Amino acid sequence: MAPFASLHTWAGNPRIVPALAAAKLNGLEIELPEFKYGVNNKDPVWVAKFPLAKVPALETTGNHPQFVVESAAIALFLADSGPFREQLLGATPEQRAKINQWIFHGELEMVPHILTGLKHSRKLVPFSQENEDAAQKGIDRIAAVLEEQLEKHQWIAETEKFSIADLIVAATFDMGLKSWLKKEWRDAHPKIVAWYTKVTEIEALEGIFGEQKFTEE
Ligand SMILES: N[C@@H](CCC(=O)N[C@@H](CS)C(=O)NCC(=O)O)C(=O)O
């Protein structure tokens, strides 16, 4: 049988983790074709399907292929495409609202700061103290809210079982915890670290989050 979809991106892109997790839970086979960044995504045939030329980019199989970009949108689509739909996306409008709220918090309030910190830590861009301070301030602000949320609730969006918000936001923290957010930060945010560890250890998702190794000082 043909796979459900092909997911195009460079090898090891951490932004595809929630999509792969949702696909695994829903029993969807996802093909990861070989991909050369800056070559495949600049090809005119590619750009006709994905006009922003960004990855990750998902292409479903079948007679009416769908083309989806934005890693959170891809994860939501795969979450919506199988038996885990209701657990992952929420069973009621209230649950779905909270789940969406935390996905937006993740994409808008966390990803930009974590990417700044990651790029500085891995020396992918020249270091800027001003940008570093702004990123630290930004992540600390939303982390304080999340820490309080996890004092009261087991899962981020107040659901009984984990949802797609847990997977998306934990995958975002995964990028930060493995590169930028050092021991002092982790010690100051014990609830986030415990929740993140719990998400990465969900039995049904074995192997999806990769090796768990926090960054050293
Ligand atoms: N918000 C998007 C960001 C996608 C993105 O910026 N991808 C980068 C690589 S990680 C890219 O493809 N850049 C190519 C370009 O800007 O031309 C997502 O989460 O999928």
Side-chain angles (χ1 to χ4, degrees), residues 72-206:
I74 294 169
L76 285 165
F77 175 45
L78 297 176
D80 203 6
S81 301
F84 265 73
R85 173 187 296 119
E86 195 168 288
Q87 173 180 334
L88 292 174
L89 299 182
T92 64
E94 290 78 11
Q95 278 183 1
R96 291 193 283 273
K98 285 282 174 191
I99 288 169
N100 287 329
Q101 174 193 307
W102 279 99
I103 293 170
F104 279 109
H105 278 344
E107 295 303 294
L108 300 174
E109 306 283 340
M110 300 173 193
V111 169
H113 306 310
I114 287 182
L115 285 182
T116 299
L118 179 151
K119 286 176 187 171
H120 278 162
S121 307
R122 300 211 169 137
K123 300 189 171 39
L124 301 175
V125 296
F127 184 82
S128 149
Q129 191 63 55
E130 193 186 338
N131 293 349
E132 177 73 12
D133 291 347
Q136 195 66 65
K137 204 169 152 197
I139 199 65
D140 287 351
R141 181 162 180 250
I142 187 69
V145 177
L146 179 54
E147 193 68 15
E148 221 175 276
Q149 176 76 344
L150 293 168
E151 287 273 348
K152 293 180 276 192
H153 303 283
Q154 198 189 356
W155 300 108
I156 197 170
E158 305 171 26
T159 48
E160 252 176 59
K161 297 178 182 170
F162 67 86
S163 73
I164 194 70
D166 292 289
L167 303 179
I168 291 176
V169 177
T172 293
F173 269 103
D174 189 75
M175 297 192 292
L177 290 165
K178 286 177 178 167
S179 65
W180 180 46
L181 302 169
K182 302 202 168 55
K183 188 172 184 309
E184 196 185 354
W185 191 94
R186 298 193 296 267
D187 288 347
H189 299 89
K191 295 282 175 197
I192 293 178
V193 173
W195 157 82
Y196 160 81
T197 304
K198 196 170 60 176
V199 175
T200 61
E201 289 177 352
I202 293 169
E203 221 177 297
L205 297 178
E206 201 189 333

Side-chain angles (χ1 to χ4, degrees), residues 4-6 49-50 58-68 77:
F4 179 77
S6 296
K49 298 175 188 171
F50 306 106
L58 184 94
E59 178 172 359
T60 61
T61 54
N63 292 337
H64 302 286
Q66 300 296 309
F67 307 108
V68 186
F77 175 45

